[in-house]
Amino acid sequence: MPDKNGFPHFMLKEIFEQPQGLRDTIMPRISVQEGDVHIASEVRIDRHELRALKRINIVASGTSRHAGLAGQYMFQDLAHVFADVDYASEFEYRNPPIGPEELAIVITQSGETADTMAAQRLARKKGSRSIAITNVVNSTVANEADGVLYTHAGPEISIASTKAFTAQMAVLFLVSMYLSQVREQLSRESSLRWIDELTALPEKTEATLRCADTCRELAQRYHRFEDFLFLGRAVHYPVAMDGALKLKEVSYVHAEGYPAGEAKHGPKAIIDEDLPVVMIATCDPNDEGSKVRFDKSLADLRAYKKQGAKIIALASEGDNQIAKLADHTIFIPQAPELLAPILEIVPLQLFAYYVAVAKGLDVDRPRNLVKAVTQE
Ligand code: F6R
């Protein structure tokens, strides 16, 4: 029988296990001295084939698909390979014109999600190679893939996925970096820099967890609101989607995740004092694109304040602009754009958890949901 190890719920225990899950997932696969990622024996696809790859098709469901969306930015930025992301349940309906020289990456915590299995089988039938990213050894998806990379997050008992999600993003980053190295697109200097960043990630996740009390206080203030809007740009948009999904599933609160720029094309109409906005407004000062996006997020926040919205913002440590605009600011340790999502999701998981607790709900077993959806 799994043990809660002193935590009141598995969800909270699993949120706090994320630093260890990341350490176990990342550290055995990298060499700090050489700056290399060692996953050839897990990828099990010839280097020639990886060099010839034309496209990556990521298929997954729910939270695993959100990891895939973050992975899309990683593959395109680091390995310069075009990456598409599909809902596994929709994959077959768009009759995907895929084939050899393409790679299907299938992400599933349980390894038994029926929609994801069906998408994997379709991709293989069309001649694509496949790599599974899963948390369960010898699961069906793992057994049917060419290559398997396990997330070493440990068993996830709570229905809401937390530690598997951050471990999935870490594996996706490792695969993008490996591809980039195989395709000779990453200098040794950049590799060493990324390896440093990866090594620092578990400790930064630990530091992020120190916002738990703030998240609990926020949940106490906000648990009676019926709707929330989560916004983020670029690689932060999948985090907004997952923050909203967590709130929906464990707290039964209606929440939408949206790309921040897209909010102007409709959702903005309903932003007012009854619709708190959760804005991911972190910034990597070493990244020009990130600075531009940050300025756009500042402008959005000003506009939503004028509309009366309550703003909960995630900002980078050291930032002194966001807190002046937002009603509440949670600070996240500095991290490069592609790795920041792994930290940013932590306060959003905690917020969803504490809202569910404040509402007296069965956090680990939300109504109408199961851990693995084994029927299409
Ligand atoms: C959300 C959640 C679900 C799963 C989805 C896919 O917290 O748990 O959205 O992510 O059902 O499950 P796996 O990853 O097992 O394929």
Side-chain angles (χ1 to χ4, degrees), residues 60-65 107-113 116 156 158-162 168 242 245-246 249 370-373:
S61 310
T63 283
S64 296
R65 192 184 74 93
I107 312 167
T108 163
Q109 184 282 132
S110 61
E112 303 296 344
T113 299
T116 308
E156 198 178 61
S158 157
I159 285 188
S161 185
T162 54
Q168 285 166 346
D242 208 60
L245 180 61
K246 288 294 96 99
E249 65 183 330
V370 290
K371 188 64 184 156
V373 183

Coordinates of all heavy atoms in Angstrom, one line a residue, residues 60-65 107-113 116 156 158-162 168 242 245-246 249 370-373, ligand 1:
A60 N -0.2 12.9 -27.4 CA -0.4 12.7 -26.0 C -1.8 13.2 -25.6 O -2.5 13.8 -26.4 CB 0.7 13.4 -25.1
S61 N -2.1 13.0 -24.3 CA -3.5 13.4 -23.9 C -3.3 14.2 -22.6 O -2.3 14.0 -21.8 CB -4.4 12.3 -23.5 OG -4.4 11.3 -24.6
G62 N -4.2 15.2 -22.3 CA -4.2 15.9 -21.0 C -2.9 16.5 -20.7 O -2.2 17.2 -21.5
T63 N -2.5 16.3 -19.4 CA -1.2 16.9 -18.9 C 0.0 16.5 -19.8 O 0.9 17.3 -20.0 CB -1.1 16.6 -17.4 OG1 -2.0 17.5 -16.7 CG2 0.3 16.8 -16.9
S64 N 0.0 15.3 -20.2 CA 1.1 14.8 -21.0 C 1.2 15.6 -22.3 O 2.3 15.8 -22.8 CB 1.0 13.3 -21.3 OG 1.1 12.6 -20.1
R65 N 0.1 15.9 -22.9 CA 0.1 16.7 -24.1 C 0.6 18.1 -23.8 O 1.3 18.7 -24.6 CB -1.3 16.9 -24.7 CG -1.3 17.4 -26.1 CD -2.7 17.6 -26.7 NE -3.3 18.8 -26.1 CZ -3.3 20.0 -26.5 NH1 -2.7 20.3 -27.7 NH2 -3.9 21.0 -25.9
I107 N 3.8 10.5 -25.4 CA 4.1 10.9 -24.0 C 2.9 10.4 -23.2 O 1.8 10.8 -23.4 CB 4.3 12.4 -23.8 CG1 5.3 12.9 -24.8 CG2 4.8 12.7 -22.4 CD1 5.3 14.5 -24.9
T108 N 3.2 9.6 -22.2 CA 2.0 9.1 -21.3 C 2.6 8.6 -20.0 O 3.5 7.7 -19.9 CB 1.3 7.9 -22.0 OG1 0.5 7.2 -21.1 CG2 2.1 7.0 -22.8
Q109 N 2.1 9.2 -18.9 CA 2.5 8.8 -17.6 C 2.3 7.4 -17.4 O 3.2 6.6 -17.0 CB 1.7 9.7 -16.6 CG 2.1 9.5 -15.1 CD 1.6 8.2 -14.5 OE1 2.3 7.5 -13.8 NE2 0.3 7.9 -14.7
S110 N 1.0 6.9 -17.6 CA 0.6 5.5 -17.3 C 1.1 4.5 -18.3 O 1.3 3.4 -18.0 CB -0.9 5.5 -17.3 OG -1.4 5.8 -18.6
G111 N 1.3 5.0 -19.6 CA 1.7 4.1 -20.6 C 0.5 3.2 -21.1 O 0.7 2.3 -21.9
E112 N -0.7 3.5 -20.6 CA -1.8 2.7 -21.0 C -3.0 3.5 -21.5 O -4.1 3.0 -21.6 CB -2.3 1.9 -19.7 CG -1.3 1.0 -19.1 CD -0.8 -0.2 -20.0 OE1 -1.4 -0.5 -21.0 OE2 0.3 -0.7 -19.7
T113 N -2.8 4.7 -21.8 CA -3.9 5.6 -22.3 C -4.3 5.1 -23.7 O -3.5 5.1 -24.6 CB -3.5 7.1 -22.3 OG1 -3.2 7.4 -20.9 CG2 -4.6 8.0 -22.8
T116 N -3.8 7.4 -26.8 CA -2.3 7.6 -27.0 C -1.8 6.3 -27.7 O -1.0 6.4 -28.6 CB -1.6 7.9 -25.7 OG1 -2.3 9.0 -25.1 CG2 -0.2 8.3 -26.0
E156 N 3.0 7.5 -9.4 CA 2.1 8.7 -9.2 C 0.7 8.2 -8.8 O 0.1 7.5 -9.7 CB 2.1 9.5 -10.5 CG 1.6 11.0 -10.2 CD 1.6 11.8 -11.5 OE1 0.9 11.4 -12.5 OE2 2.3 12.8 -11.5
S158 N -1.9 10.1 -7.0 CA -2.9 11.1 -7.2 C -3.4 11.1 -8.6 O -2.6 11.0 -9.5 CB -2.4 12.5 -6.8 OG -3.1 13.5 -7.4
I159 N -4.7 11.2 -8.8 CA -5.2 11.3 -10.2 C -4.6 12.4 -11.0 O -4.2 12.3 -12.2 CB -6.7 11.2 -10.3 CG1 -7.2 9.8 -9.9 CG2 -7.3 11.7 -11.6 CD1 -8.6 9.5 -10.1
A160 N -4.5 13.6 -10.4 CA -3.9 14.8 -11.0 C -2.4 14.5 -11.2 O -1.7 14.2 -10.2 CB -4.2 16.0 -10.2
S161 N -2.0 14.7 -12.4 CA -0.5 14.4 -12.7 C 0.3 15.7 -12.3 O 0.0 16.8 -12.8 CB -0.4 14.1 -14.1 OG 0.9 13.7 -14.4
T162 N 1.3 15.5 -11.5 CA 2.2 16.6 -11.1 C 3.7 16.3 -11.4 O 4.3 16.8 -12.3 CB 2.0 17.0 -9.7 OG1 2.2 15.8 -8.8 CG2 0.6 17.6 -9.4
Q168 N 8.5 14.7 -17.4 CA 8.3 14.5 -18.9 C 9.0 15.7 -19.6 O 9.6 15.5 -20.6 CB 6.8 14.6 -19.2 CG 6.0 13.3 -18.9 CD 4.5 13.5 -18.9 OE1 4.0 14.6 -18.9 NE2 3.8 12.3 -18.9
D242 N -1.8 23.9 -18.3 CA -1.8 22.9 -17.3 C -2.2 23.4 -15.9 O -2.9 22.7 -15.1 CB -0.4 22.2 -17.1 CG -0.6 20.8 -16.6 OD1 -1.3 20.0 -17.3 OD2 -0.1 20.5 -15.5
L245 N -5.9 23.3 -16.1 CA -6.4 21.9 -16.1 C -6.4 21.4 -14.6 O -7.3 20.7 -14.1 CB -5.6 21.0 -17.0 CG -6.0 19.5 -17.0 CD1 -7.4 19.3 -17.5 CD2 -5.0 18.7 -17.9
K246 N -5.3 21.7 -13.9 CA -5.2 21.2 -12.5 C -6.3 21.8 -11.7 O -6.9 21.1 -10.9 CB -3.8 21.7 -11.8 CG -2.6 21.0 -12.3 CD -2.5 19.5 -12.0 CE -2.9 18.7 -13.2 NZ -1.8 18.2 -14.0
E249 N -9.6 20.0 -12.6 CA -9.8 18.6 -12.2 C -9.9 18.4 -10.7 O -10.7 17.6 -10.2 CB -8.8 17.7 -12.9 CG -7.4 17.9 -12.5 CD -6.5 17.0 -13.3 OE1 -6.9 15.8 -13.7 OE2 -5.3 17.4 -13.5
V370 N -10.4 9.0 -13.8 CA -9.6 7.8 -13.4 C -8.1 8.1 -13.7 O -7.8 9.0 -14.5 CB -10.1 6.5 -14.2 CG1 -11.4 6.1 -13.8 CG2 -10.0 6.8 -15.8
K371 N -7.3 7.3 -13.2 CA -5.8 7.5 -13.4 C -5.4 7.2 -14.8 O -4.6 8.0 -15.4 CB -5.0 6.7 -12.4 CG -3.5 7.0 -12.3 CD -3.3 8.5 -11.9 CE -1.8 8.9 -11.9 NZ -1.6 10.3 -12.1
A372 N -5.9 6.1 -15.4 CA -5.5 5.9 -16.8 C -6.8 5.6 -17.6 O -7.6 4.8 -17.2 CB -4.6 4.6 -16.8
V373 N -6.9 6.4 -18.6 CA -8.2 6.3 -19.4 C -7.9 5.2 -20.5 O -7.3 5.5 -21.5 CB -8.5 7.7 -20.1 CG1 -9.8 7.6 -20.9 CG2 -8.6 8.8 -19.0
Ligands
F6R1 C1 -4.2 15.6 -15.6 C2 -4.2 14.2 -15.9 C3 -4.7 13.7 -17.2 C4 -3.7 12.8 -17.9 C5 -4.2 12.2 -19.2 C6 -3.1 11.4 -19.9 O1 -3.7 15.8 -14.4 O2 -3.8 13.4 -15.1 O3 -5.0 14.8 -18.1 O4 -2.5 13.6 -18.1 O5 -5.3 11.4 -18.9 O6 -2.7 10.3 -19.1 P1 -1.4 9.6 -19.4 O7 -0.3 10.5 -19.2 O8 -1.3 8.5 -18.4 O9 -1.4 9.1 -20.8

